[in-house]
Amino acid sequence: MKARAPFCIRHAAADTFAMVVFCFVSGMIIEIFISGMTFEQSLASRTLSIPVNIAIAWPYGIFRDFVLRQGRRVSDTGLVKNISDLVAYVLFQSPVYAAILFVVGASTDQIITAVTSNAVVSCGMGVLYGYFLDMCRKWFKVPGYYQQA
C-alpha cells in the first residue's frame, strides 16, 4: 500500500461504499442476535447509521491508514496489519456506534452490551473490514491499491 495521496474521489467513494455496506450488515447482526434489540430498533439504528457512515467513512480510512503505518513501523507482517486494523476499528467506531444507539433510544444496558459486544467481535470484524475495505479500494481502482496483485 502506498502513502495516501491528496483527496481522490475514488478513494472517498470506495471508503464510503465499504463503510456503509459493512456496518449495515454487521451492525444489524450484532444488535438483533447479541444485544437483544428488536428488528425495528436495529433497522432504525442502521438507517441512522447510513448518513453517519457516509460522513465518517473517509476520515476513518485516513485514520486506519495512519494506524497501519504506525504498525508497519513495528513490523511489516500480516499479523501486525491485522492487529492494526483491529485497533483502528475499535478506537474509531466504538464512540460513533454508542452515539447512534443513544439517538435511536436504546437503553443504557443495550448500548453498553452492543458497544462491548462490538468491541469483542471487532477482534474479527476489524480485520474483516480491513480486507473488505482493501478489496473495495481495488474495485474502485484507488491509486496505490488497484496496481497491486
Side-chain angles (χ1 to χ4, degrees):
M1 180 171 45
K2 295 179 182 177
R4 181 180 286 277
F7 180 76
C8 170
I9 193 72
R10 288 179 186 265
H11 207 152
D15 287 6
T16 301
F17 175 83
M19 176 82 58
V20 170
V21 170
F22 188 87
C23 289
F24 191 93
V25 172
S26 62
M28 190 165 255
I29 290 168
I30 290 169
E31 290 166 357
I32 293 172
F33 296 109
I34 297 175
S35 301
M37 293 171 67
T38 65
F39 176 80
E40 291 77 15
Q41 284 178 312
S42 182
L43 189 58
S45 168
R46 298 297 88 215
T47 301
L48 179 62
S49 76
I50 291 171
V52 172
N53 286 331
I54 289 169
I56 68 169
W58 200 51
Y60 173 75
I62 293 168
F63 177 73
R64 174 191 178 250
D65 291 346
F66 169 78
V67 173
L68 291 178
R69 282 192 304 275
Q70 301 315 302
R72 276 196 304 273
R73 295 170 92 188
V74 174
S75 173
D76 201 19
T77 65
L79 177 63
V80 171
K81 181 196 179 286
N82 290 344
I83 292 169
S84 297
D85 263 329
L86 181 148
V87 168
Y89 193 83
V90 172
L91 288 178
F92 195 93
Q93 297 292 355
S94 294
V96 173
Y97 186 42
I100 290 169
L101 294 176
F102 177 78
V103 169
V104 300
S107 69
T108 302
D109 288 342
Q110 287 173 322
I111 292 171
I112 291 169
T113 301
V115 172
T116 303
S117 298
N118 192 30
V120 170
V121 173
S122 287
C123 290
M125 281 179 42
V127 174
L128 288 175
Y129 180 70
Y131 287 119
F132 183 65
L133 179 57
D134 287 340
M135 186 173 60
C136 289
R137 287 175 173 178
K138 287 177 185 175
W139 288 344
F140 281 72
K141 299 185 189 285
V142 174
Y145 286 89
Y146 70 93
Q147 296 96 339
Q148 298 174 2

